[in-house]
Amino acid sequence: MTDIYHFEAGTAPLLISIPHLGSQIPEPLRPAMTALALRSGDTDWHLDRLYAFARGLGASFLWARYSRYVVDLNRPPNDDDLYPGQAKTGLCPTHTFHGEPLYLDARDSIPDTERDARRQAYWQPYHDKLRAEIDRLKSQHGKVLLWEAHSIASVIPRLFEGKLPDLNIGTANGAACGPALEAAIRRELEQGQYTWAINGRFKGGYITRHYGAPQDNIHAIQLEMCQSTYMDETYPYAWRDEPAERAGAAVERLVRSACAQL
């Protein structure tokens, strides 16, 4: 057992990864952080609940317990920029998505030694488990679908213009999954009721890009969905039953379509 992440082993070649579900802030960091930071507002709230249907598909689950404000599990360990030319949200953020300081001293960076310590303590265990489960499923089934589950506020001027499409699929421009899987997702989106994009503003973060290897039958797909589809986007970030039921059904259809194509 570990308090770094939650893990459930499934029986199907499907792994649901939710790296930004965590909202905990370690006690040693809390005195230096703002009240806003302690709310962990940029968390991908409630996705464990939204994706509960996947247990019926035999999925494995891996999700974080600690906030992305501590360390962002979907960023490269060397903190390279995933989206050059756009506002960066790094390995150890110092500001919220909206640009508000996370630390009382309004720092713009985290010292290298502290960043490395956080990477070793929180980032590495998650990725070690992710790699191990992908390898287990590949060994057992000969193929794996890694589904990266994310959500975000629908309007964040610092990161993108206007409102995001409701459902944003990222496959690293097709490099992270086979074309047949992406085509199956596209067909499902075209039949749905939500606005959508494939490899638009969100092309897939580090996990999608790093672990997706369709040539080895390891297919990674990221879904970044607007939180407005299933919850309140303002504190206290409440779940909304009726919208969440519709959004959850749409996400289930996407996952099922990808699994069927796999």
Side-chain angles (χ1 to χ4, degrees):
M1 296 294 292
T2 176
D3 69 345
I4 303 299
Y5 55 75
H6 170 91
F7 174 69
E8 300 174 33
T11 57
L14 172 62
L15 171 56
I16 308 290
S17 165
I18 320 178
H20 296 149
L21 183 65
S23 59
Q24 296 181 36
I25 305 290
E27 285 300 326
L29 297 184
R30 295 177 70 87
M33 302 185 83
T34 65
L36 192 64
L38 297 178
R39 289 181 179 176
S40 195
D42 292 318
T43 294
D44 295 6
W45 301 103
H46 308 301
L47 288 186
D48 53 335
R49 184 174 179 182
L50 192 83
Y51 277 88
F53 69 82
R55 290 189 177 88
L57 302 178
S60 297
F61 284 90
L62 179 65
W63 67 66
R65 298 187 187 278
Y66 283 89
S67 172
R68 70 189 305 161
Y69 292 165
V70 179
V71 67
D72 193 327
L73 302 175
N74 201 29
R75 295 297 178 269
N78 62 2
D79 205 17
D80 274 355
D81 196 348
L82 290 175
Y83 294 97
Q86 301 176 4
K88 181 182 178 181
T89 59
L91 184 67
C92 294
T94 57
H95 291 75
T96 70
F97 283 174
H98 291 282
E100 303 103 331
L102 294 176
Y103 293 89
L104 295 172
D105 61 7
R107 68 187 69 171
D108 288 324
S109 64
I110 302 296
D112 290 347
T113 53
E114 182 178 346
R115 185 184 64 219
D116 290 346
R118 294 189 200 181
R119 180 176 55 80
Q120 289 294 334
Y122 302 100
W123 189 98
Q124 195 64 54
Y126 190 91
H127 283 267
D128 287 347
K129 190 63 179 179
L130 187 62
R131 178 80 269 170
E133 183 60 7
I134 290 171
D135 291 347
R136 182 185 77 86
L137 294 175
K138 176 70 183 328
S139 175
Q140 184 173 350
H141 300 282
K143 57 191 175 182
V144 183
L145 173 58
L146 169 60
W147 190 275
E148 270 288 290
H150 295 262
S151 71
I152 193 170
S154 57
V155 178
I156 304 179
R158 178 171 171 258
L159 300 184
F160 47 82
E161 294 183 5
K163 180 189 176 298
L164 277 174
D166 296 321
L167 305 175
N168 300 269
I169 294 290
T171 67
N173 289 326
C177 80
L181 270 76
E182 185 173 311
I185 292 289
R186 182 181 295 274
R187 289 193 296 271
E188 190 60 51
L189 290 168
E190 289 173 341
Q191 297 171 15
Q193 306 258 325
Y194 292 98
T195 58
W196 58 274
I198 296 179
N199 294 312
R201 171 59 181 85
F202 294 97
K203 303 180 188 301
Y206 173 77
I207 292 175
T208 303
R209 302 183 197 195
H210 180 72
Y211 292 98
Q215 69 277 8
D216 295 327
N217 226 357
I218 300 171
H219 304 272
I221 298 173
Q222 176 178 295
L223 171 58
E224 184 81 70
M225 58 191 302
C226 283
Q227 292 177 337
S228 57
T229 61
Y230 72 94
M231 59 170 273
D232 291 336
E233 294 188 342
T234 55
Y235 183 80
Y237 313 113
W239 172 272
R240 299 168 60 208
D241 285 330
E242 291 185 10
E245 183 177 356
R246 293 192 297 273
V251 172
E252 181 173 356
R253 288 192 293 269
L254 292 173
V255 174
R256 285 184 177 274
S257 294
C259 287
Q261 187 61 55
L262 184 71

